[in-house]
Amino acid sequence: MTMQPVRVRFAPSPTGFLHIGGARTALYNYLLARQTGGSFVLRIEDTDQERLVPGALENMLAALRWLGLQWDEGPQVGGPHAPYVQSERAALHRARAEQLVLAGKAYYCYCTRERLDALRTEQRVLKRPPRYDGHCRGLSAAEAAQLRAAGTPAVIRFKTPADGSTTVTDAIRGDITVQNSTLDDFIILKSDGLSLYHLAAMADDHDMGITHVIRADEWLPSLPKHALILRAFGWPEPVWCHLSVFRKPSGKGKMSKRDAAELRGTEGHSIFVHELREIGYLPAAVLNWLALMGWSYDDQKEDFDMAELVRCFSLARVNPAAAAVNFEKLDHFQGVHLRRMPVPLLATELAPYFVAAGVQADPAMLERIVPLIQERITTFEDAPPLAGFFFRASVDCSSADLLVKDKTADESAAILQRAHALLAALPTMQHSAVNAALTALAAELALKPGQLFSPLRMAVTGQKVSPPLFESMELLGREVVLARIAAGAQLLQAL
Ligand code: GLU
């Protein structure tokens, strides 16, 4: 069944860099918008100015763009509901708060800090949950007017129904009911006239015509308040969908900042989108991975590109259970998408990683090398250590690995010299010819192929693990191959 075009929003607070949890939230919103021909709105929620982190906003915009999650309305692109930065909508929020006061759904509260502190202490001593006692809710109009006339600072509090319960329906979790007695008359506007998050978000969602709110389940405790605000205004409720946060790779507990730092340091992984990009993961792999962390299609198909995700995604198959972050799975998808990449494109993507590793990689040569390494790398960062030898003037060999197994250094040197002579005389360096000639040489010297090829690999590539040896030799060319084998033999003779 095709749905009506949705209007969804991703509403990050710029209090940190975009992590995989946020990226998945953005992705699900994006998919639903694209699938239904709707709109994906990006709203920056910066009402908590004290928690803002410099650079976080730029980081988020860049990370979303890199993932291909382009927003239809929001910062940098504008739209009919601008501004899309919450702090710039403060006057709208204040007007909404006052509207609720006029409607008798909210009230001015003049309680001083001292009174509230005393109340809290008393509640602590009596082992009661901390909550506002409704003192100003009962003020008479005359009392309130007097306080206002005296210029007493005031906040606006929401009038939470004292009795009964509030039920909200979540698309993947069903009905969620809380007793209203557990919610207090929470503040919606501070004394400085700035709105608190609950009101700001609901007012913005309404004013921006948001039809579906897909967000992290850390917002579940706020959900009844959000529903009560919408109902107090008489506004329709969006479809709610609260996604489970991820658990640590071990499956135990929520990922902390320290866990995240350790991950980057020890495992070469990251939960931050910009770092996954730096490491050299493909946006397609990250998207595929994130899509399946909390959603499944048919328990069979796992490889999806963006077009397929747009077609296949549905809230009905979003799983409310928390998934553990599984980086092996990310590597799997990286492999899938990396092998699908056209060679010239992969070569272009890899080039900067060689530069960063201090290797001058000739673009034409790199394009010929890519088919040899495309199957053998997981991330872009893996490429220079594997294929840097193609571009270096010489390679560093470990002499121990130049030794032919079960032979002395002199014998090994002699064997390398035989290989040198053979390759020098070979009519072509075409890899199958090289393979045939060296295999025959191994047989003639009564060596197992590996006994001969391992030291040759070390001499030519400086590595114990390399792309296929004979193809590598063909690409390196006879001159370089001979020079490196000669250098290897010399190293052995000097032992
Ligand atoms: N600004 C909130 C956050 O960053 C979003 C809450 C919501 O989506 O309603 O978590």
Side-chain angles (χ1 to χ4, degrees):
M1 193 182 66
T2 20
M3 284 167 67
Q4 293 289 319
V6 299
R7 282 185 61 80
V8 288
R9 83 317 192 260
F10 177 50
S13 299
T15 52
F17 293 169
L18 187 69
H19 55 69
I20 55 179
R24 183 197 50 178
T25 300
L27 172 64
Y28 287 8
N29 277 289
Y30 175 91
L31 293 176
L32 213 56
R34 289 290 164 273
Q35 184 179 75
T36 61
S39 300
F40 176 52
V41 177
L42 178 62
R43 185 173 72 226
I44 304 303
E45 301 203 318
D46 58 347
T47 46
D48 194 351
Q49 295 278 329
E50 277 160 30
R51 290 181 54 229
L52 301 187
V53 168
L57 177 60
E58 295 71 21
N59 169 282
M60 287 188 162
L61 300 185
L64 288 171
R65 285 220 163 92
W66 175 71
L67 285 170
L69 303 178
Q70 181 58 53
W71 50 102
D72 305 307
E73 296 173 29
Q76 298 179 344
V77 304
H81 301 283
Y84 291 92
V85 175
Q86 205 158 51
S87 59
E88 293 168 22
R89 303 175 67 84
L92 293 167
H93 304 145
R94 190 173 334 151
R96 292 301 191 187
E98 279 157 9
Q99 184 184 341
L100 281 185
V101 175
L102 285 178
K105 311 275 187 179
Y107 59 93
Y108 283 96
C109 168
Y110 300 93
C111 288
T112 58
R113 176 99 312 247
E114 291 69 37
R115 179 173 188 277
L116 295 174
D117 285 348
L119 180 65
R120 184 142 301 180
T121 311
E122 183 187 318
Q123 286 167 337
R124 205 171 27 239
V125 172
L126 297 173
K127 297 209 165 29
R128 297 220 179 108
R131 74 172 51 119
Y132 182 63
D133 62 355
H135 178 77
C136 291
R137 189 171 178 160
L139 287 182
S140 69
E143 284 169 314
Q146 207 180 358
L147 285 161
R148 190 156 336 132
T152 320
V155 299
I156 295 181
R157 289 186 184 271
F158 185 80
K159 255 187 210 173
T160 302
D163 312 311
S165 58
T166 299
T167 299
V168 193
T169 306
D170 179 280
I172 59 172
R173 294 164 194 273
D175 284 354
I176 296 164
T177 299
V178 295
Q179 296 305 315
N180 292 332
S181 57
T182 63
L183 311 165
D184 68 354
D185 287 353
F186 53 92
I187 299 176
I188 53 178
L189 197 83
K190 293 185 289 182
S191 55
D192 59 7
L194 290 177
S195 159
L196 278 170
Y197 176 71
H198 301 307
L199 175 70
M202 291 309 103
D204 290 348
D205 280 351
H206 173 74
D207 291 340
M208 294 180 177
I210 298 304
T211 61
H212 291 63
V213 168
I214 304 169
R215 61 182 178 183
D217 68 1
E218 58 194 330
W219 292 98
L220 273 176
S222 307
L223 180 58
K225 293 182 185 170
H226 291 176
L228 284 171
I229 292 175
L230 295 177
R231 291 170 194 177
F233 280 110
W235 292 338
E237 266 175 73
V239 173
W240 304 101
C241 178
H242 290 82
L243 308 172
S244 291
V245 293
F246 299 140
R247 284 177 290 115
K248 291 184 204 191
S250 64
K252 292 191 202 97
K254 216 183 126 180
M255 188 93 83
S256 71
K257 273 196 184 144
R258 209 185 37 217
D259 294 330
E262 259 177 34
L263 202 63
R264 177 75 174 114
T266 57
E267 318 252 330
H269 279 127
S270 176
I271 59 159
F272 291 106
V273 174
H274 72 281
E275 287 185 348
L276 292 172
R277 176 184 189 175
E278 274 163 31
I279 295 168
Y281 282 104
L282 293 167
V286 177
L287 289 172
N288 197 156
W289 180 55
L290 290 177
L292 289 173
M293 282 213 283
W295 168 81
S296 63
Y297 181 55
D298 59 2
D299 301 322
Q300 303 249 326
K301 180 172 167 60
E302 289 220 308
D303 303 343
F304 292 90
D305 62 23
M306 185 67 113
E308 290 171 316
L309 286 175
V310 167
R311 212 169 41 244
C312 299
F313 181 76
S314 74
L315 284 184
R317 291 195 63 96
V318 170
N319 189 342
V325 178
N326 179 341
F327 287 106
E328 281 100 68
K329 208 75 205 183
L330 173 59
D331 287 347
H332 164 77
F333 289 123
Q334 171 76 5
V336 168
H337 290 279
L338 199 131
R339 294 194 221 320
R340 277 187 200 159
M341 269 179 97
V343 166
L345 180 64
L346 183 51
T348 312
E349 293 286 348
L350 289 178
Y353 287 81
F354 282 91
V355 175
V359 179
Q360 282 306 325
D362 168 66
M365 179 69 166
L366 189 53
E367 219 178 292
R368 298 178 65 200
I369 289 164
V370 162
L372 300 190
I373 62 172
Q374 190 160 15
E375 299 279 334
R376 291 177 174 74
I377 56 174
T378 302
T379 70
F380 295 162
E381 268 184 358
D382 296 339
L386 187 66
F389 72 87
F390 280 106
F391 303 102
R392 296 207 174 84
S394 62
V395 292
D396 281 337
C397 294
S398 88
S399 32
D401 293 310
L402 285 171
L403 287 170
V404 178
K405 193 159 174 273
D406 302 328
K407 302 283 174 192
T408 65
D410 284 342
E411 287 163 347
S412 301
I415 291 169
L416 285 192
Q417 274 151 0
R418 283 293 306 270
H420 185 279
L422 183 73
L423 294 173
L426 213 61
T428 160
M429 284 296 279
Q430 204 272 330
H431 65 86
S432 47
V434 173
N435 185 351
L438 290 174
T439 307
L441 177 65
E444 186 195 326
L445 300 173
L447 297 171
K448 289 202 212 77
Q451 259 178 303
L452 176 61
F453 301 160
S454 298
L456 274 176
R457 183 189 310 280
M458 178 49 70
V460 172
T461 70
Q463 296 163 199
K464 284 215 265 193
V465 179
S466 77
L469 180 61
F470 310 121
E471 275 98 334
S472 298
M473 287 184 171
E474 179 178 343
L475 286 185
L476 279 168
R478 193 189 312 264
E479 208 180 315
V480 173
V481 171
L482 292 182
R484 290 185 184 179
I485 295 176
Q490 229 165 38
L491 210 67
L492 284 170
Q493 277 161 343
L495 278 187

